[in-house]
Amino acid sequence: MSSNLKISAALVAVFAVALAVFGVVRAQGGDEGLPAANAAVVREDSHRLSSAADGRVTLVEFLDFECEGCLAAYPFVEELRQAYDGRITFVARYFPMPGHANAENAAVAVEAAAQQDRFEDMYDRMYETQSQWGEKQDSQAAVFRGFAEELGLDMAAFDAAVAAPETLERVLRDREDGIALGVEGTPTFFLNGQKLRVTTTDEFIEALDAALAG
């Protein structure tokens, strides 16, 4: 029971922040139209935080490491990963928002770490330190490089990956999919390919349980 209460409290905060962000993004971005036919919620190279052996249920989050709503969602997602360990596949996809000066830099640094099989370590570090670098208008690339050094990454390989245009292209492919799928703000969740449209914590958890029961 206490675990459920912790998850619910965290998720209440997620929805409060995410709804505020959604309103701002929608006012600026407007209607993106219908999803493109070639858009994918999950691709072969999408980053899986954890995987279910049967592959029946997948929860995808389009996220921005500089987004306060995503930071609020982070502990909630971690708790869900524990609660549904082995039963739900959790996927993280990049969606750097144009209003965040270092969102792309952060995603590129995470993707560069992923090329050394350290995606989750850098993913964690970005959220753990967001209060230090978020909302700054000058480049925080040097800060992100410092994170890579602290994680013990091969720095020559990391620097090369950050500089390679293919790394940014990989990040932007995620965002392009998100836009085509109707993502207007972060965090946005998809459950088994469908945008998760819930307004309460109970509805969110009920949706996960219903997908598992289906």
Side-chain angles (χ1 to χ4, degrees), residues 2-212:
S2 60
S3 176
N4 289 338
L5 290 173
K6 277 174 57 183
I7 290 175
S8 294
L11 193 48
V12 166
V14 172
F15 278 117
V17 177
L19 286 174
V21 172
F22 175 82
V24 171
V25 173
R26 185 173 180 81
Q28 294 175 344
D31 185 4
E32 295 292 346
L34 296 173
N38 63 347
V41 177
V42 182
R43 293 193 182 275
E44 185 176 347
D45 65 349
S46 293
H47 295 298
R48 291 155 177 81
L49 292 167
S50 53
S51 297
D54 60 18
R56 289 179 53 249
V57 179
T58 299
L59 183 69
V60 177
E61 179 188 2
F62 283 86
L63 58 85
D64 174 335
F65 292 108
E66 197 169 354
C67 166
E68 292 181 357
C70 295
L71 177 60
Y74 169 66
F76 156 69
V77 171
E78 292 302 296
E79 288 187 26
L80 281 187
R81 287 177 63 195
Q82 293 182 20
Y84 292 94
D85 183 38
R87 294 187 290 158
I88 294 179
T89 297
F90 291 82
V91 177
R93 300 199 66 183
Y94 307 114
F95 197 86
M97 299 291 293
H100 291 152
N102 281 284
E104 281 189 8
N105 285 340
V108 164
V110 174
E111 182 58 25
Q115 294 179 25
Q116 298 186 44
D117 296 322
R118 301 292 296 276
F119 172 83
E120 189 170 351
D121 290 330
M122 189 67 91
Y123 162 96
D124 289 337
R125 187 61 59 90
M126 289 298 176
Y127 284 131
E128 291 164 356
T129 62
Q130 190 198 92
S131 62
Q132 301 172 24
W133 59 266
E135 302 301 326
K136 296 185 184 298
Q137 296 307 304
D138 56 319
S139 173
Q140 298 296 295
V143 173
F144 303 149
R145 188 180 190 277
F147 297 161
E149 288 181 312
E150 291 167 7
L151 291 173
L153 299 187
D154 178 327
M155 293 310 298
F158 178 83
D159 290 340
V162 168
E166 293 81 8
T167 305
L168 177 59
E169 289 169 5
R170 166 67 182 78
V171 169
L172 297 183
R173 280 197 300 273
D174 271 11
R175 185 168 69 186
E176 288 165 4
D177 271 347
I179 291 171
L181 291 163
V183 174
E184 297 177 289
T186 53
T188 293
F189 294 92
F190 286 78
L191 180 60
N192 281 356
Q194 299 297 315
K195 187 183 291 187
L196 195 54
R197 301 179 185 278
V198 294
T199 58
T200 70
T201 62
D202 288 343
E203 288 176 1
F204 197 111
I205 294 171
E206 286 169 7
L208 298 182
D209 290 340
L212 285 168

